[in-house]
Amino acid sequence: MGCGAMMKSVMEVLLLLMLIFTAHAKEKSYSPPEKPTQTRCRSPEKETFTCWWEPGSDGGLPTTYALYYCKENSETVYECPDYHTAGENSCFFNKNDTSIWVNYNISVVATNALGRAFSDPVDIDVVYIVEPNPPEKLTVAVMEDKGWPFLLVSWEPPHKADTRSGWITLIYELRVRLEEEDDWEMHHAGQQKMFNIFSLRSGGKYLVEVRCKPDHGFWSEWSSTSYVNVPDYFHREKSMWILVALFSAFIFLILTWLLHMNSHSLKHCILPPVPGPKIKGFDKQLLKNGNSDEIFSALVVPNFPPASTSKYEEMLVEYLEVYVPEEPELMLESKDLLDGCLKSENSRSDSDSGRGSCDSHTLLMDKCGGTKEEERQTNRESSLMETQGWKEEAINHDTSGRVKTWPSVYSPLPQYGSNPLDKQSSLETAKQHSLSTSSFLTQPGTEDALGPSYTDFCLSNKQNHLHPQMLAHRELQTRSDVNISNIGRKRSPASEYVEVQRVNKEDMVLLQPVVSRCGHIEGCPNLPKGEDYSKVKGVDCDNRLLLQREGTGEDVCPCVDQETNGEGGNCYTSSTVSTTQKPTACMYTAMPLQGETALTLNGYVDSATMGNMPSC
Amino acid sequence: MPGTIRSVSLVSVVLLVCLSSRRTSVGAAPICTNGQVGCHVLSLDNLFDRVIQHSARMHGISSDLHSEFEQYFLPSKNQIGRVGRICHTSTIITPNGKENAQRMAREQLTEVILKLLIAWRDPLWHFHQSMAHHHDFNNFSSNKALEMNDMVHELRQGVEKVAEKMQVLGIISNSVTSLASPEVLLPSDSADWRLMKDYDLLYCFRRDSNKVQNYLKILKCRIVPDHGC
């Protein structure tokens, strides 16, 4: 018979006895006890164990509970040796009664006067019911590793569990949290009895707990909490980042505000408005409609471009009539000049932008020059008056916009041997540069051929690009009574110069426009390809221009000093240089005439001495 | 591009070979006899650790199989026959408590371990065979049974090595008879295990593997303490 059968027989005997007892009991609504239930059995160190049960209702009568067990393959039924050590409704098995790797069959019996109740038997092996006590002596210390804190946690196994002999092997687990948090952070520590917690996020009060488990068994309860205060290492970092964030937010706000203020101009900058077509006669609606024929027919301007070439020829100035009035003042009307000059503002050297030679600094009529010009002119005038006694053509800046120029007539001399292009020196071939529709020649006070009289022709070239440097002017000595009348004021917008074709019998200089080619600014500008230039020696009594065949003596080339006002002088270039340069092709801004030096100029009227010279 | 891929794969293969060879060299280092040069000699505590790990793994597999059996093949709790379960190794006297185990001599303890391991060699093999034939169990259980069988073999060899080492070191005397003739240790009524049902067999083996693991730990902490005891 097995252990269970034995127990049952014992129970039956007891039951009989109880029935005999209760036969004389009072008649009440009592009942036998309910079946107790065995809750659990646990061993803390694999050497002893305890079993607990849960009693059912006692049926109104005092009920006693008994625990009986028998071991594996043994018939002997034993009763619980100790009902009290482990508390109420428990049975404690001490070391002597505990056998490991032995199967226990345990039952609990509830007995009262009316009956008994058996619990369900439970088979246990102590090895598999081990639930140790929590670890002990938990210590937490704050350590520092390169400025960052960490927790060093250490503990000891429960004192009852014998790990030293190897009887039990425990593995540990610990958990950490901040005092104000709810979630624990778990760490598995294995078999070691100390652990480093590096995952600290901030300072404050930390709670640490640890528990253990045998390799086959149940987890222990959490140990008592250990508190530790971690100082605020992290505060500095956080505050710095807060500052950085605030600063960047501030900058961002400022930028947004600026953007908002300048939104309009930014819009124009980034997304410039698409210019619409501004063609006269161009109908946008037509374009949208898509009929191209209608559109382009609207654009057609009759009689444009001019079909006949004769028109072009008409624009050529064949000759100019120049007469020299008595008054020193010359008025030169040129609306175009005005326009050109007005357009050029204070431009001195560069005239690539379509401004005429009017904007050249040499032009006395340069209204845009302003007071500087006037000063220069006055200086010049005074100096000239002093030294030369020449009459100068006063330049009046008409406030109404009229511009007067110093007309200057130059004729190139054929002399320039280095110039391979042309050596023609005849009057017929001599070409004269002049710009203007009309020009007036001043009457010099002296009869001297060197009297400064010049005609400066300023041709409006609002349509053309005029390089000031390209203008090469020659001084021409003219007589006072040279009349050059401008016949047929014709503008030649395409060219700056008017070439002197010939001088006819009536003492008329026939001019022909020529494309201006000028030399450079500095030094002695060359007559550009000026093969057709000849130097005018003088004007004889018959009002004829005497042109020199060859350059004589020293060729003085007045240097250009564009920015100087009262300075300057004639400089003497080397002969080699001079041969290559047309002495008359010089640019001046303002040069006070130095007495005889000007007179030494061969055949040149130093227009610069008289005032601004038109420069290319 | 293909050239680089080829070179990369070649390099990786070479690396893998090197690493694996290194690993295997460490793992399969033979226990050298004295005087052998160039041999990687394992210390006793290292041997013990390996053996203990091995036994822990064996016990884990047996526990898994046992719980699987309980799910598939749950014996009714009211079976009378279940009470009469007797493990065939019950004839081997094993200490049933800490004091008993600590009181036992090292040689005796070593011998008990070896006896247990030897006693389970044949039953496990047969168990594996029966598992393979019965299609009630899935391949997972069958593989575990095979693994269990192999592990018993290996563990026994390991424990023998440990015993040899201990004898060499003079820790235990040469009275361990199991090393000489293992068949002596077989229980006399060894045929009883054939009557055991599979479930009981697993139950018994689970317990015995736990015993082996525990005895080895006790031995280790007694012989080479301060290494995780």
Side-chain angles (χ1 to χ4, degrees):
Chain A
M1 266 208 306
C3 173
M6 191 108 180
M7 263 172 63
K8 277 196 174 167
S9 57
V10 167
M11 295 306 131
E12 281 162 13
V13 167
L14 282 169
L15 185 61
L16 277 168
L17 287 170
M18 293 288 261
L19 280 170
I20 294 162
F21 256 118
T22 55
H24 303 291
K26 298 176 189 175
E27 295 286 334
K28 267 194 182 178
S29 59
Y30 296 124
S31 61
E34 211 177 326
K35 189 169 75 174
T37 51
Q38 292 198 62
T39 52
R40 63 184 186 136
C41 297
R42 287 289 182 262
S43 168
E45 74 287 87
K46 213 159 81 173
E47 295 167 39
T48 65
F49 71 103
T50 311
C51 281
W52 290 270
W53 66 86
E54 191 68 35
S57 74
D58 57 359
L61 293 168
T63 314
T64 57
Y65 296 92
L67 186 142
Y68 297 98
Y69 69 93
C70 63
K71 288 188 178 180
E72 177 182 323
N73 302 325
S74 163
E75 306 291 335
T76 320
V77 178
Y78 303 94
E79 194 182 345
C80 173
D82 191 340
Y83 286 104
H84 308 288
T85 309
E88 192 74 27
N89 298 325
S90 69
C91 179
F92 175 74
F93 294 82
N94 60 11
K95 283 186 188 179
N96 298 329
D97 299 324
T98 307
S99 302
I100 316 297
W101 299 299
V102 169
N103 201 14
Y104 281 75
N105 190 312
I106 299 171
S107 298
V108 176
V109 180
T111 312
N112 67 1
L114 288 179
R116 282 186 302 171
F118 287 89
S119 68
D120 290 330
V122 169
D123 281 321
I124 58 156
D125 194 336
V126 179
V127 173
Y128 301 112
I129 58 160
V130 180
E131 185 184 328
N133 293 328
E136 295 163 4
K137 295 186 187 171
L138 178 63
T139 59
V140 185
V142 181
M143 313 289 280
E144 199 172 313
D145 173 43
K146 293 169 192 169
W148 283 93
F150 67 94
L151 293 178
L152 178 63
V153 189
S154 66
W155 58 89
E156 280 183 18
H159 66 276
K160 281 190 184 172
D162 188 359
T163 52
R164 297 219 60 193
S165 64
W167 181 240
I168 294 182
T169 308
L170 293 173
I171 57 172
Y172 302 96
E173 191 180 61
L174 49 81
R175 63 181 187 180
V176 186
R177 75 172 167 98
L178 268 171
E179 194 177 19
E180 50 267 16
E181 284 177 8
D182 292 330
D183 294 329
W184 290 92
E185 190 180 305
M186 310 296 281
H187 295 278
H188 192 78
Q191 289 184 28
Q192 58 199 36
K193 297 183 192 63
M194 62 167 63
F195 196 78
N196 292 328
I197 298 174
F198 293 101
S199 58
L200 300 180
R201 290 184 309 279
S202 63
K205 202 173 188 182
Y206 280 91
L207 283 70
V208 183
E209 290 177 356
V210 67
R211 66 175 184 178
C212 57
K213 174 176 105 82
D215 39 7
H216 321 285
F218 302 98
W219 280 105
S220 71
E221 296 293 325
W222 287 103
S223 67
S224 56
T225 312
S226 188
Y227 298 90
V228 68
N229 268 317
V230 177
D232 264 343
Y233 290 79
F234 320 85
H235 188 67
R236 260 180 275 121
E237 299 272 332
K238 226 189 252 182
S239 62
M240 189 195 77
W241 283 114
I242 288 170
L243 276 172
V244 167
L246 278 173
F247 186 66
S248 51
F250 181 64
I251 298 282
F252 178 72
L253 278 170
I254 288 178
L255 282 172
T256 316
W257 181 76
L258 280 171
L259 209 71
H260 178 71
M261 300 305 280
N262 299 334
S263 61
H264 191 65
S265 56
L266 268 176
K267 247 189 261 175
H268 271 278
C269 183
I270 294 168
L271 306 167
V274 178
K278 287 174 191 161
I279 304 168
K280 253 189 200 175
F282 192 79
D283 194 353
K284 274 191 210 173
Q285 289 302 318
L286 275 177
L287 186 67
K288 283 176 191 169
N289 293 341
N291 197 342
S292 56
D293 289 342
E294 288 177 359
I295 297 162
F296 294 121
S297 64
L299 291 173
V300 172
V301 172
N303 301 328
F304 188 83
S308 59
T309 53
S310 60
K311 263 230 164 177
Y312 175 69
E313 287 169 21
E314 284 175 8
M315 294 199 294
L316 296 178
V317 176
E318 293 181 358
Y319 59 91
L320 287 176
E321 261 185 317
V322 181
Y323 71 93
V324 182
E326 292 294 330
E327 314 81 54
E329 295 190 1
L330 295 176
M331 307 289 290
L332 183 63
E333 280 189 34
S334 171
K335 253 200 176 171
D336 296 328
L337 285 171
L338 174 67
D339 292 339
C341 292
L342 282 177
K343 274 182 193 164
S344 67
E345 297 184 350
N346 288 333
S347 64
R348 287 278 174 258
S349 54
D350 186 15
S351 66
D352 241 348
S353 53
R355 300 183 297 265
S357 59
C358 311
D359 56 345
S360 65
H361 55 275
T362 57
L363 280 180
L364 292 175
M365 40 64 70
D366 191 3
K367 185 181 177 165
C368 314
T371 55
K372 205 179 181 186
E373 291 288 331
E374 287 176 6
E375 277 177 3
R376 236 183 261 137
Q377 290 149 21
T378 49
N379 285 343
R380 251 181 279 113
E381 284 176 273
S382 59
S383 61
L384 283 172
M385 294 301 225
E386 280 176 11
T387 56
Q388 304 302 325
W390 292 342
K391 272 192 185 173
E392 295 184 5
E393 293 175 354
I395 295 176
N396 294 332
H397 286 267
D398 197 343
T399 54
S400 68
R402 290 190 185 173
V403 178
K404 301 168 212 167
T405 61
W406 293 82
S408 62
V409 173
Y410 300 103
S411 71
L413 286 179
Q415 168 43 30
Y416 313 96
S418 62
N419 189 344
L421 295 179
D422 194 9
K423 313 269 199 266
Q424 297 171 11
S425 57
S426 63
L427 275 176
E428 293 181 355
T429 60
K431 296 200 177 148
Q432 186 174 19
H433 294 270
S434 67
L435 315 165
S436 149
T437 55
S438 63
S439 61
F440 298 91
L441 194 63
T442 57
Q443 185 173 3
T446 60
E447 79 287 357
D448 194 3
L450 299 173
S453 64
Y454 44 85
T455 308
D456 188 5
F457 299 92
C458 179
L459 185 67
S460 74
N461 53 354
K462 108 171 118 170
Q463 299 150 9
N464 296 338
H465 296 286
L466 183 66
H467 288 279
Q469 300 94 357
M470 290 171 62
L471 278 178
H473 298 280
R474 297 294 207 75
E475 286 178 289
L476 178 64
Q477 286 181 349
T478 58
R479 287 281 175 100
S480 58
D481 50 357
V482 167
N483 282 339
I484 303 173
S485 62
N486 185 20
I487 298 175
R489 292 184 183 196
K490 281 178 185 145
R491 293 196 193 145
S492 129
S495 62
E496 311 166 351
Y497 299 98
V498 179
E499 287 180 343
V500 173
Q501 200 70 350
R502 62 178 190 275
V503 179
N504 62 6
K505 289 183 184 171
E506 286 82 24
D507 294 330
M508 285 201 295
V509 179
L510 300 176
L511 303 172
Q512 196 181 14
V514 79
V515 178
S516 64
R517 299 162 306 228
C518 297
H520 44 82
I521 298 177
E522 291 194 1
C524 306
N526 285 340
L527 266 185
K529 295 70 175 179
E531 58 273 8
D532 296 324
Y533 299 101
S534 55
K535 196 173 167 186
V536 172
K537 192 175 182 181
V539 178
D540 62 1
C541 352
D542 295 333
N543 297 336
R544 278 183 296 185
L545 292 173
L546 300 176
L547 303 174
Q548 270 187 344
R549 276 201 177 268
E550 28 185 50
T552 59
E554 12 177 52
D555 292 329
V556 176
C557 185
C559 292
V560 177
D561 189 358
Q562 295 193 0
E563 296 308 314
T564 57
N565 248 341
E567 289 182 346
N570 299 327
C571 66
Y572 297 86
T573 62
S574 62
S575 58
T576 55
V577 175
S578 61
T579 52
T580 59
Q581 295 167 348
K582 314 298 194 298
T584 55
C586 295
M587 296 190 300
Y588 313 91
T589 53
M591 290 186 58
L593 189 63
Q594 291 182 6
E596 282 72 32
T597 56
L599 298 178
T600 59
L601 297 175
N602 288 331
Y604 293 105
V605 175
D606 191 359
S607 63
T609 63
M610 309 306 291
N612 281 340
M613 299 305 297
S615 63
C616 303
Chain B
M1 223 21 212
T4 53
I5 290 172
R6 216 180 293 149
S7 60
V8 163
S9 59
L10 194 67
V11 166
S12 60
V13 162
V14 166
L15 277 172
L16 278 171
V17 165
C18 288
L19 286 171
S20 58
S21 66
R22 208 177 295 156
R23 211 183 294 147
T24 52
S25 68
V26 169
I31 297 176
C32 312
T33 56
N34 281 349
Q36 209 164 348
V37 182
C39 232
H40 182 57
V41 180
L42 287 172
S43 61
L44 190 60
D45 57 298
N46 203 327
L47 276 171
F48 262 116
D49 285 336
R50 290 169 182 232
V51 161
I52 287 167
Q53 278 178 23
H54 213 96
S55 67
R57 175 145 175 80
M58 194 175 72
H59 176 73
I61 294 171
S62 67
S63 292
D64 293 340
L65 263 178
H66 179 260
S67 53
E68 271 181 49
F69 254 75
E70 272 190 317
Q71 290 174 17
Y72 290 123
F73 187 65
L74 188 66
S76 61
K77 298 234 190 256
N78 296 330
Q79 265 184 5
I80 301 170
R82 195 174 68 85
V83 183
R85 179 203 317 144
I86 296 174
C87 291
H88 73 287
T89 51
S90 54
T91 54
I92 303 171
I93 297 169
T94 57
N96 285 343
K98 188 179 87 170
E99 288 80 11
N100 295 342
Q102 281 178 331
R103 249 182 262 133
M104 200 176 253
R106 300 168 191 177
E107 296 87 350
Q108 263 182 312
L109 205 51
T110 312
E111 216 172 293
V112 163
I113 292 165
L114 283 168
K115 276 183 187 174
L116 283 170
L117 289 170
I118 290 164
W120 277 104
R121 187 188 60 188
D122 291 333
L124 279 179
W125 192 82
H126 280 91
F127 174 71
H128 163 66
Q129 294 292 311
S130 68
M131 288 261 324
H133 288 137
H134 287 24
H135 298 289
D136 298 351
F137 316 112
N138 53 11
N139 287 337
F140 188 64
S141 306
S142 155
N143 288 341
K144 280 201 172 163
L146 179 63
E147 198 178 351
M148 224 159 54
N149 189 27
D150 294 337
M151 287 192 116
V152 165
H153 266 286
E154 289 167 8
L155 190 60
R156 197 192 109 213
Q157 286 171 352
V159 174
E160 281 173 359
K161 290 277 190 304
V162 170
E164 275 177 24
K165 181 96 181 176
M166 284 199 291
Q167 282 176 346
V168 161
L169 290 173
I171 296 168
I172 59 173
S173 64
N174 293 338
S175 61
V176 179
T177 58
S178 58
L179 299 171
S181 52
E183 286 68 28
V184 175
L185 299 174
L186 278 173
S188 53
D189 46 357
S190 59
D192 285 348
W193 57 265
R194 293 173 206 276
L195 302 173
M196 277 168 54
K197 294 187 181 178
D198 289 339
Y199 177 75
D200 294 336
L201 193 139
L202 281 172
Y203 177 87
C204 290
F205 181 66
R206 184 172 78 137
R207 187 162 68 189
D208 285 343
S209 60
N210 199 343
K211 278 185 185 176
V212 165
Q213 187 185 0
N214 217 338
Y215 296 154
L216 282 169
K217 280 186 192 170
I218 290 170
L219 258 184
K220 185 215 168 192
C221 288
R222 199 195 293 181
I223 292 169
V224 279
D226 305 327
H227 286 277
C229 285

